[in-house]
Amino acid sequence: MVELVLRSRRVVAGGGERAAAVAIEAGTIVAVGGYDDAFEAAVDTDLGETALLPGLVDTHVHVNEPGRTEWEGFASATRAAAAGGVTVIVDMPLNSLPPTVDVAALRVKQAAASGQTFVDVGFWGGAVPGNAAELPALHAAGVFGFKAFLADSGVPEFPPVSAAELRQALEAVDAQFVVHAEDPEHLGELTGPAGYAAFLGSRPAEAEHAAVATAIGAARSTGGRVHILHLSAASALPLIAAARADGLRVTAETCPHYLTLDADHIPDGATEFKCCPPIRDAANADQLWAALADGLITCVVSDHSPCTPELKRRDTGDFAVAWGGIASVQLGLPVVWSAARARGHSLADVVEWMARRPADLVGLHTKGRIEVGADADLVAFDPDDTFVVEPARLHHKNPMTPYAGKQLNGVVRTTWLRGQAVAGATARGQFLSRRVA
């Protein structure tokens, strides 16, 4: 007897799709059999042609609690994640107060999140000037690695590191470092009122190119692990390819907005499109898609970075002062699937980019996959249905989105966390920690 069997003619597992039955007991997948295989089960559900995916793993989410909970918060962020088929988020060390730069701050954040997470939550630590000595203890406390900025983060309590300080941090602890790669020397001054073209011109591709080179140099000199966050500029891809060819432990991610939105179609005043690094043109996006297809870019994550409507300055439309960040944790799967299917990619490709590889990045090898022994984090997803994005129906605390009014392919029907449907007011999410050898 098992607790639950889920059957689908489109189970995405093992790098492809097939008709299968997935048996679940005590929150774990205990068998993946044929679609018609008989199981003695308390509940046996046939999804038919609705696809069964592993829950997505989003390793780049800004929850902002405590300190800036009016921007988002663990309850709203994790509800939104579950509604979008995401069963694991890894929270960034800013824009919460205090930032997660030592063990005491991590405990404050965990206390704030306790009892209100609807999906599983892990945490990044932060590398800032002067805290290299804190990193080993913070890593031992279970953070999955450390985020560093090479340019202004936008909040004064999380300052950027220099190239030397990044190397010092890498030498302080053998951990995964994730780097916001923009070089301040290549960023222009922006004064308002500014439209999108002026904003884009102030953050040219050269800024990313130079910062990626700095991060790779730190990996080369220390032997450390460096992951380039939210890669926007395709011109930096050859640097990453060369580093990987040299055997360096360098990886990169991109985000749905860089793959699907186009600078040439962003109206002046539409500050909901502002993010850093910026959205570039369609030809640049084509190159990002090619790098994703050949594995040079390893994963797609949201960089969910919400704020209050006032901080987005939609009233004035001034890109010079608007907060830079896109709220999208609930929409990543349909946004990417809509564009991927139009380019000839499969659901299995999307699962690889948004579930398995992000899970592997942070060492969560029982997440992001449908296989025996994995956690029963699953998503019933109708890839052929469509919907129009209505901000008021999103679970984000401040549902301002550049996808408003867009018709997307793919509807999440149900999300299961360790075999239990995420529904109602019961928050069953757990804190995840880096596994200490």
Side-chain angles (χ1 to χ4, degrees):
M1 171 71 74
V2 295
E3 294 171 358
L4 175 65
V5 171
L6 296 173
R7 303 175 189 272
S8 169
R9 297 192 181 279
R10 301 186 66 178
V11 174
V12 180
E17 278 186 38
R18 64 186 174 93
V22 179
I24 297 155
E25 176 65 29
T28 300
I29 297 172
V30 294
V32 181
Y35 178 78
D36 295 318
D37 284 3
F39 289 94
E40 187 178 355
V43 178
D44 194 318
T45 299
D46 192 339
L47 301 172
E49 295 296 328
T50 298
L52 186 65
L53 316 182
L56 304 191
V57 176
D58 192 340
T59 55
H60 196 150
V61 177
H62 294 267
V63 177
N64 306 329
E65 186 176 11
R68 293 189 174 97
T69 309
E70 69 275 15
W71 294 18
E72 188 61 278
F74 283 98
S76 53
T78 56
R79 279 185 184 275
V86 177
T87 52
V88 174
I89 65 168
V90 186
D91 175 57
M92 283 293 171
L94 73 165
N95 304 301
S96 55
L97 292 169
T100 315
V101 295
D102 55 34
V103 174
L106 173 65
R107 299 307 180 215
V108 169
K109 179 171 284 191
Q110 289 173 328
S114 182
Q116 57 170 339
T117 59
F118 289 83
V119 301
D120 287 353
V121 176
F123 302 91
W124 292 107
V128 296
N131 84 324
E134 302 285 350
L135 302 185
L138 190 49
H139 202 225
V143 299
F144 286 101
F146 300 95
K147 181 175 188 177
F149 275 77
L150 295 178
D152 181 20
S153 72
V155 291
E157 68 276 2
F158 202 96
V161 296
S162 67
E165 288 166 333
L166 179 60
R167 291 194 299 272
Q168 182 185 20
L170 283 161
E171 289 167 346
V173 59
D174 181 13
Q176 178 71 67
F177 280 77
V178 297
V179 179
H180 181 120
E182 290 183 286
D183 188 323
E185 296 300 318
H186 290 79
L187 299 179
E189 291 292 330
L190 187 65
T191 56
Y196 189 77
F199 167 65
L200 179 60
S202 74
R203 303 186 92 96
E206 290 78 9
E208 283 191 80
H209 190 281
V212 168
T214 296
I216 290 172
R220 189 180 300 277
S221 65
T222 64
R225 286 175 280 165
V226 169
H227 180 75
I228 305 300
L229 295 170
H230 46 45
L231 184 71
S232 160
S235 63
L237 288 167
L239 294 177
I240 297 167
R244 290 172 65 86
D246 287 345
L248 301 185
R249 297 190 290 176
V250 174
T251 52
E253 69 186 34
T254 194
C255 303
H257 39 280
Y258 300 129
L259 294 168
T260 65
L261 301 178
D262 176 0
D264 294 334
H265 292 89
I266 297 176
D268 281 346
T271 52
E272 61 268 28
F273 288 85
K274 181 179 178 181
C275 56
C276 300
I279 295 159
R280 305 190 189 278
D281 62 24
N284 181 83
D286 288 342
Q287 294 178 67
L288 296 178
W289 276 104
L292 190 60
D294 68 17
L296 182 56
I297 294 175
T298 57
C299 52
V300 181
V301 292
S302 69
D303 189 13
H304 177 72
S305 186
C307 67
T308 61
E310 293 77 18
L311 289 174
K312 267 298 185 185
R313 302 304 301 268
R314 194 65 171 85
D315 55 337
T316 65
D318 187 356
F319 278 86
V321 295
W323 176 259
I326 289 177
S328 60
V329 70
Q330 186 171 336
L331 294 171
L333 176 56
V335 166
V336 173
W337 169 238
S338 298
R341 73 183 299 180
R343 290 173 177 264
H345 294 290
S346 67
L347 264 182
D349 293 330
V350 173
V351 164
E352 184 73 10
W353 304 329
M354 302 186 77
R356 179 181 287 268
R357 288 185 190 167
D360 288 349
L361 174 72
V362 292
L364 292 174
H365 300 303
T366 62
K367 301 289 190 180
R369 64 208 74 207
I370 296 177
E371 60 186 38
V372 173
D375 289 353
D377 299 348
L378 301 163
V379 180
F381 181 68
D382 188 336
D384 299 318
D385 200 359
T386 62
F387 71 102
V388 174
V389 177
E390 299 177 46
R393 300 187 68 177
L394 299 175
H395 292 279
H396 305 156
K397 183 171 287 185
N398 295 291
M400 194 174 184
T401 172
Y403 303 109
K406 292 185 180 295
Q407 180 171 296
L408 299 176
N409 294 98
V411 174
V412 172
R413 302 295 186 197
T414 306
T415 299
W416 292 268
L417 183 67
R418 286 182 297 280
Q420 293 185 296
V422 181
T426 303
R428 296 190 180 92
Q430 299 178 1
F431 292 156
L432 303 176
S433 294
R434 180 185 65 88
R435 290 181 173 85
V436 180

